[in-house]
Amino acid sequence: MSPVEVLSPVHGLVRVPRRTVLLLLLATFGCGMAMIVPMAYSLALRLEDLAPNRADVLGYILGIGSAASLVFAPVSGVLSDHTRSRWGRRRPYTVIGVFVGLSSVPVMAYAPSIPVLGLAWVLSTIGWGTAAGSIGNWQADQLPEHQRGRVSGLTGMTMQLAPVIGILLVGLMGKQILLVFLVPAAIGTVLIVLFVFGAPETDSRRFTHTESLSIGHVFRSYTFSPREFPDFAWAWAGRFIFFLGLTLTTSFTVYFFAQRLGLPVSGVASVIGLTSALSIISATLGSVGAGWLSDRMHRRRPYIVVAVIVFAGGAVISAFAHELTWLLVGSVVNSLGIAVFSSVGQALVLDVLPHRETQAGRYMAITAFSQKIPGVVAPILAPVILALGSSAGEQNFTALCLFSAMLAVAGGLTISVGVRHSP
């Protein structure tokens, strides 16, 4: 039997007020900017000094960072489930995560070698990942069912907007490496701190578990029984497959645009900013619209199917695009599919989350595995696909995009067919 809290911090959930939702969105925006901008742009720019034209090195660094976060995510989730403090269970880990994430900034900016840059990226992923995870755990604790789709849609939209605005900002910094890393982290810190001090969380000093925290308990928290929780297992599997397909392409966006448009890596920031800015409308409609409709109609799975088909369409367009116009179309269609999947998929996970009142941190961390493991596998797998039939000086991004589309559709169908007890 799993441990059951004597006193549950999330019984009798009531509607979260708009002011608190706004603070949540600001914190999500801050996490997205601090985490994704370095992944999408800053690291590639820094690598142009240390290892020019080496997309494979970027893949290895991103993969190592994702592997590190795999180890730490469940630990912080389980620890927060058991934490007793006046600040509650989640906020202490939000603060710790921000501190670690900030400490990585100067190391990444001034890294003298690839191993040092890789180590700094590990610190960054652990730090910002811990902060984002604790904010996600807060959502699992506080949101009632009738708000999950809408709030998940809003946070999904926010996650889409954060890197867009972040890349536009750092694009103005040129090659000022310190600012390229510092600006997203500083904005993220301010917005997360507002959430830490403004969002209510119950004093957890009275909460107790029937099972004491031990090393064995932490290791067991990395796993769960698919037979006992089949809906959660199918949702996890579908998300894993979808995000594997998604991460194959997103990790190499800079190099993709550089090759297709014949630009240097340092000249891609404005193009990525343009494609991202045009995707804001589709991301907003997809996230907010799908999340609201899924709450109102009490349906999740049909929207998942629509999302992956749309994403696959965008990936196919990108696969054969060699002009800016078609690259923009592919990007916009892609973002619409991602937005719908992210918002409705997150709400579906909250619907089927096991032991939601007592072990939300643990199972949200396990849910995060479905995105973090692809973050390890995809950057290592992608260079293999890129090398298939590639000519001298060119990489096979067509094959990469088509493979991404295939995986996305498979992931959506896995959720739609496998999950039975979610709308």
Side-chain angles (χ1 to χ4, degrees), residues 134-155:
S134 66
I135 293 170
N137 295 338
W138 184 94
Q139 286 181 253
D141 289 342
Q142 305 293 335
L143 287 177
E145 182 177 355
H146 66 274
Q147 277 188 290
R148 292 173 195 163
R150 298 172 194 181
V151 175
S152 294
L154 289 169
T155 55

Side-chain angles (χ1 to χ4, degrees), residues 43 97 117 133 142 156 187 206-207 331 338 352 364 369:
L43 282 174
L117 181 63
Q142 305 293 335
I187 294 174
R206 296 183 301 117
F207 303 143
S331 176
I338 295 169
V352 300
M364 288 297 286
F369 280 0

Side-chain angles (χ1 to χ4, degrees), residues 27 31 51 53 114 128 147 160 167 204 263 273 276 315 331 354 367 419:
C31 281
N53 300 315
I114 291 174
W128 299 117
Q147 277 188 290
Q160 294 271 330
I167 290 172
S204 64
L263 295 173
S276 300
S331 176
T367 300
V419 176

Side-chain angles (χ1 to χ4, degrees), residues 95-105 120 122-128 130:
V95 173
I96 292 170
V98 169
F99 178 80
V100 175
L102 273 177
S103 69
S104 71
V105 169
V122 167
L123 286 176
S124 179
T125 55
I126 291 173
W128 299 117
T130 298

Side-chain angles (χ1 to χ4, degrees), residues 9-10 13-16 137-144 147 200-202 356:
V10 292
L13 293 178
V14 296
R15 184 179 183 85
V16 175
N137 295 338
W138 184 94
Q139 286 181 253
D141 289 342
Q142 305 293 335
L143 287 177
Q147 277 188 290
E201 186 173 352
T202 306
R356 185 171 174 273

